[in-house]
């Protein structure tokens, strides 16, 4: 168990970075003059780099046989890019600079993310997949809890929440991002030093050597993997469409919803909006703390009732929380629906990968993990392509209505994943889908 914790420590730094993005990028864009309707478009770096980078890196890492390992070169390069993006992000003087830093940051995150998923699948046998991926989920909860809470901790320790630079970016955000730059690099280096990759077997080396090389071959490998996609993975695609559209919209607009419902403001440079940012950070830290604890509790539950059934239940609870949240006017009550969001987030970051890892061929783990990430980022691209057109006419330019939509979509995701059934009979892989 200690080795599993150490090998997943790099996920702490990686997810600290994602937590900083979720809690601070939309406010930073608003500080620099962006409109609410444009926010999904400005966040395109994440889904586009995920769509392009992760499948390519997945396929390339499957074919890599280097002196440093199969996945390790991608870990190190991605972590360095991530650290650079985090360090310079809070120093942005314009929307163009902030968007550029986000592209570098998300490029680094996505180069690191997919090989990390594959590394866990490579390193653990099938009986350990549940504990391995749910441990990643736990570290996700812990890291994002710390990332969201850091600005509030700085305020509690004496910093002025309204102390901003010449471009209206709070100094609390600057310190939090620089802490993230340090963690993103050091935790990944620690993981690969303490738990190095397993050496490739002669059979694996022969298989890699027999594969065609070059960019065209990589694209053909991705196309072939999509064509041969296992049934379980196909069924997860509809679930991913609903749940990730909802999560992306939630992250983009929850601060603005809290600003209106709790603090009565929609002005990004106001003290009330700064309070909404900090309140969202505290609430998000709380729900990520719930996710950290819940991820470990889900291990025996997933074994008993199945990862798909457990995920459906958690999505329903999360959807109920999102529906309730826009109607709350007192700060302390925000933490009640946050429990549901935390349970859903813990499940999202663990259970779909349990289903997936048991249903894909081991020699194509990297490419299939990358393709699965396409199912995450395509809904985010759809959000950017659609929400600016209906934000005013259908949502009445009110972010609270966006959160209501998120709750409904989480219910749809639960219905979609309910059709995925796992076989637990002897001799069949966990996560395989019954015909």
């Amino acid at each position: 168990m200690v080795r599993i914790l150490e090998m997943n420590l790099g996920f702490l730094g990686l997810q600290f970075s994602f937590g900083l993005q979720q809690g601070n990028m939309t406010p930073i864009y608003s500080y620099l003059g962006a409109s609410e309707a444009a926010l999904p478009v400005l966040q395109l770096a994440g889904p586009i780099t995920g769509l392009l980078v992760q499948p390519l890196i997945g396929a390339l890492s499957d074919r890599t046989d280097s002196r440093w390992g199969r996945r390790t070169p991608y870990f190190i390069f991605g972590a360095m890019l991530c650290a650079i993006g985090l360090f310079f992000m809070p120093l942005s003087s314009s929307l163009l600079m902030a968007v550029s830093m986000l592209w570098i940051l998300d490029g680094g995150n996505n180069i690191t993310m997919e090989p990390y998923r594959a590394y866990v699948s490579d390193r653990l046998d099938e009986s350990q997949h549940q504990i391995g991926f749910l441990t990643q989920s736990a570290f996700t909860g812990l890291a994002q809890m710390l990332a969201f809470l850091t600005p509030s901790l700085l305020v509690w320790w004496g910093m002025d929440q309204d102390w901003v630079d010449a471009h209206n970016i709070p100094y609390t955000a600057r310190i939090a991002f620089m802490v993230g730059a340090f963690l993103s690099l050091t935790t990944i280096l620690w993981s690969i030093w303490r738990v190095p990759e397993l050496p490739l077997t002669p059979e694996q080396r022969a298989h890699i050597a027999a594969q065609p090389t070059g960019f065209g071959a990589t694209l053909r490998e991705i196309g072939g993997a999509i064509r041969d996609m296992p049934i379980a993975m196909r069924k997860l695609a509809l679930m991913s469409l609903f749940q990730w559209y909802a999560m992306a919209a939630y992250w983009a607009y929850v601060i603005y919803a809290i600003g209106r419902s709790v603090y009565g403001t929609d002005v990004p440079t106001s003290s009330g909006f700064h309070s909404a940012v900090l309140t969202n950070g505290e609430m998000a830290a709380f729900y990520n703390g719930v996710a950290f604890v819940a991820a470990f509790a889900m291990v025996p539950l997933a074994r008993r009732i199945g990862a798909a059934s457990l995920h459906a239940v958690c999505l329903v609870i999360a959807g109920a929380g999102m529906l309730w949240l826009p109607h709350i006017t007192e700060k302390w009550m925000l933490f009640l629906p946050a429990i549901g969001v935390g349970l859903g987030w813990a499940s999202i970051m663990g259970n779909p990968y349990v289903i997936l890892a048991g249903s894909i061929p081991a020699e194509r783990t990297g490419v299939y993990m990358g393709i699965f990430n396409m199912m995450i980022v395509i809904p985010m691209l759809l959000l950017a392509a659609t929400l600016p057109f209906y934000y005013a006419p259908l949502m009445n330019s009110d972010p609270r209505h966006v959160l209501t939509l998120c709750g409904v979509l989480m219910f749809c995701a639960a219905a979609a994943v309910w059709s995925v059934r796992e076989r637990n009979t002897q001799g069949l892989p966990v996560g395989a889908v019954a015909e």
Side-chain angles (χ1 to χ4, degrees):
M1 184 62 189
V2 173
R3 301 280 282 179
I4 292 175
L5 290 173
E6 284 189 312
M7 73 182 296
N8 281 302
L9 184 64
F11 229 66
L12 181 78
L14 190 62
Q15 293 297 331
F16 193 96
S17 169
F18 278 114
L20 289 175
Q21 287 180 241
Q22 292 168 21
N24 295 277
M25 281 314 305
T26 51
I28 286 175
Y29 285 148
S30 294
Y31 300 145
L32 295 172
S35 68
E36 287 183 5
L39 293 174
V41 177
L42 294 172
Q43 300 278 18
L44 279 175
I48 289 180
T49 56
L51 184 66
L52 299 177
V53 171
Q54 286 213 28
L56 287 173
I57 295 298
L60 289 171
S61 70
D62 280 345
R63 298 162 182 260
T64 297
D65 181 8
S66 74
R67 58 181 294 189
W68 299 283
R70 194 179 195 180
R71 320 289 183 185
T72 300
Y74 303 97
F75 294 163
I76 296 174
F77 181 65
M80 291 175 64
L81 282 182
C82 182
I84 291 170
L86 286 170
F87 186 85
F88 288 102
M89 177 64 73
L91 305 178
S92 297
S93 57
S94 65
L95 272 174
L96 178 60
M97 181 176 177
V99 170
S100 300
M101 288 300 104
L102 186 62
W103 278 87
I104 292 173
L105 172 56
D106 274 323
N109 279 337
N110 281 291
I111 288 171
T112 306
M113 173 70 79
E114 189 286 325
Y116 217 119
R117 296 283 193 192
Y119 158 66
V120 171
S121 186
D122 293 341
R123 199 68 170 76
L124 302 177
D125 61 43
E126 189 172 298
S127 66
Q128 296 175 306
H129 279 168
Q130 284 181 326
I131 186 64
F133 285 114
L134 288 172
T135 299
Q136 280 194 358
S137 178
F139 272 113
T140 297
L142 177 62
Q144 296 197 7
M145 178 181 70
L146 295 174
F148 279 112
L149 197 57
T150 297
S152 289
L153 288 174
L154 294 171
V155 171
W156 294 340
W157 293 336
M159 286 188 70
D160 182 356
Q161 70 174 28
D162 299 322
W163 182 27
V164 299
D165 64 17
H167 308 288
N168 299 312
I169 298 175
Y171 282 97
T172 52
R174 180 177 295 189
I175 294 174
F177 271 80
M178 291 180 179
V179 170
F182 173 79
L183 286 177
S184 67
L185 187 59
T186 56
T187 56
I188 288 172
L189 292 177
W190 177 269
S191 285
I192 60 180
W193 174 58
R194 292 291 297 168
V195 190
E197 293 185 70
L198 293 174
L200 295 174
T201 64
E203 292 78 12
Q204 288 173 320
R205 291 182 184 277
H207 177 78
I208 291 173
Q211 299 303 304
T213 59
F215 185 71
T218 300
L219 292 180
R220 287 192 295 274
E221 166 67 9
I222 294 170
I226 292 174
R227 184 189 64 245
D228 302 333
M229 191 183 299
I231 297 173
M233 196 169 175
R234 294 179 186 275
K235 290 188 174 184
L236 289 175
L238 185 61
M239 173 212 73
S240 293
L241 173 64
F242 292 127
Q243 85 179 12
W244 286 107
Y245 192 106
M247 291 306 301
Y250 174 85
W251 291 326
Y253 287 96
V254 63
I255 292 172
Y256 301 88
I258 293 171
R260 283 170 169 80
S261 63
V262 178
Y263 296 99
T265 184
D266 59 358
V267 180
T269 55
S270 67
S271 181
F273 187 81
H274 293 160
S275 295
V277 173
L278 293 177
T279 296
N280 175 64
E282 293 160 17
M283 183 182 73
F286 175 73
Y287 81 64
N288 277 284
V290 170
F292 174 70
V293 175
F296 290 110
M298 286 181 187
V299 174
L301 280 174
R303 288 174 178 161
R304 177 172 295 184
I305 69 173
S309 299
L310 177 59
H311 189 48
V313 171
C314 291
L315 290 176
V316 168
I317 296 171
M322 291 178 180
L323 287 175
W324 183 16
L325 197 149
H327 304 286
I328 292 174
T329 57
E330 298 291 332
K331 175 181 175 179
W332 70 270
M333 286 190 66
L334 293 171
F335 295 89
L336 299 179
I339 296 173
V341 177
L343 291 173
W345 184 230
S347 186
I348 286 170
M349 294 304 293
N351 284 313
Y353 295 96
V354 174
I355 301 168
L356 180 65
S359 64
I360 56 179
E363 69 275 9
R364 302 177 93 176
T365 296
V367 68
Y368 274 122
M369 288 292 181
I371 291 171
F372 190 64
N373 186 70
M374 294 170 66
M375 299 179 188
I376 296 173
V377 299
I378 288 174
M380 297 180 181
L381 290 173
L382 288 175
L383 175 70
T386 57
L387 190 138
F389 295 101
Y390 68 76
Y391 186 65
L394 297 182
M395 301 289 106
N396 198 28
S397 297
D398 191 333
R400 290 170 290 190
H401 297 326
V402 176
L403 263 62
T404 300
L405 174 64
C406 293
V408 173
L409 290 175
M410 292 298 263
F411 291 155
C412 294
V417 77
W418 193 257
S419 67
V420 180
R421 288 293 181 270
E422 295 162 300
R423 288 175 173 174
N424 295 316
T425 53
Q426 188 174 5
L428 289 174
V430 175
V433 175
E435 299 293 343

